[in-house]
């Protein structure tokens, strides 16, 4: 606080100077209070805006977290389906392979029978030719 010198009068300080000093102090005090009140109002408004923003960000975070969980669930489900499809394809492939192997065995058996028939027909033909060749 600045030092203020009051002018002196007959019985002490001059009353008008003291009153003027007190009025100046009161005015300065009121200005400071008004400035602080404005600053408080601004800070309250800023605080409210920050609270609103924080609330919005929390909601957005929660929404993103929910989406992340849904995506994770979908990925797990897709992976399970893919594994299921692969296992079914392998199973079907094994079945088809076994069927083809059985068909090959059947064809090999028929081929062997045909070869035996051909041998028999050749033998009969050779015997027939030899029989008529002797005449």
């Amino acid at each position: 606080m600045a030092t203020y010198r009051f002018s002196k009068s007959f019985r002490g300080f001059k009353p008008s100077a003291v009153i003027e000093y007190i009025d100046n102090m009161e005015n300065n005090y009121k200005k400071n209070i008004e400035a602080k009140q404005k600053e408080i109002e601004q800070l309250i408004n800023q605080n409210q805006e920050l609270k609103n923003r924080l609330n919005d960000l929390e909601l957005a975070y929660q929404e993103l977290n929910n989406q992340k969980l849904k995506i994770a669930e979908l990925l797990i489900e897709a992976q399970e389906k893919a594994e299921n499809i692969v296992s079914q394809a392998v199973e079907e492939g094994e079945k088809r392979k076994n069927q083809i192997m059985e068909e090959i065995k059947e064809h090999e058996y028929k081929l062997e029978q045909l070869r035996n028939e051909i041998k028999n027909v050749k033998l009969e033909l050779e015997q027939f030719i030899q029989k008529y060749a002797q005449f």
Side-chain angles (χ1 to χ4, degrees):
M1 192 151 129
T3 310
Y4 187 79
R5 296 199 185 264
F6 295 106
S7 48
K8 293 185 180 183
S9 67
F10 174 64
R11 292 191 178 190
F13 297 112
K14 189 173 184 183
S16 63
V18 172
I19 291 172
E20 182 182 332
Y21 177 76
I22 291 173
D23 285 343
N24 284 339
M25 281 181 53
E26 184 181 3
N27 287 336
N28 286 338
Y29 180 74
K30 284 181 181 180
K31 287 179 185 177
N32 284 338
I33 288 176
E34 288 175 6
K36 293 298 180 187
Q37 284 177 339
K38 285 181 182 179
E39 186 177 343
I40 288 171
E41 287 177 16
Q42 288 174 345
L43 290 173
I44 288 172
N45 290 338
Q46 185 180 11
N47 189 29
Q48 187 60 41
E49 288 174 12
L50 290 173
K51 283 181 182 178
N52 291 340
R53 183 148 187 239
L54 177 63
N55 190 32
D56 292 344
L57 290 173
E58 285 175 346
L59 291 174
Y61 171 77
Q62 187 64 31
E63 186 177 328
L64 287 174
N65 199 30
N66 289 340
Q67 288 177 353
K68 183 176 84 170
L69 291 174
K70 286 179 184 178
I71 289 171
E73 289 173 1
L74 289 174
L75 287 173
I76 290 170
E77 186 178 324
Q79 183 178 2
E80 289 173 353
K81 284 183 180 181
E83 289 173 358
N84 195 12
I85 289 170
V86 167
S87 67
Q88 285 179 351
V90 167
E91 193 176 304
E92 288 179 20
E94 285 294 321
K95 284 181 185 178
R96 184 68 181 137
K97 176 185 166 187
N98 291 337
Q99 287 175 345
I100 290 173
M101 292 303 285
E102 286 185 27
E103 287 177 10
I104 288 173
K105 286 179 183 176
E106 287 178 20
H107 284 89
E108 286 176 345
Y109 178 75
K110 287 180 182 178
L111 182 61
E112 191 59 36
Q113 285 180 340
L114 288 173
R115 285 182 181 156
N116 287 337
E117 275 187 46
I118 290 173
K119 283 182 185 177
N120 289 339
V121 170
K122 272 186 179 178
L123 284 174
E124 286 178 12
L125 189 56
E126 285 177 2
Q127 290 173 358
F128 183 75
I129 291 175
Q130 285 178 359
K131 186 177 181 183
Y132 283 105
Q134 291 175 358
F135 290 115

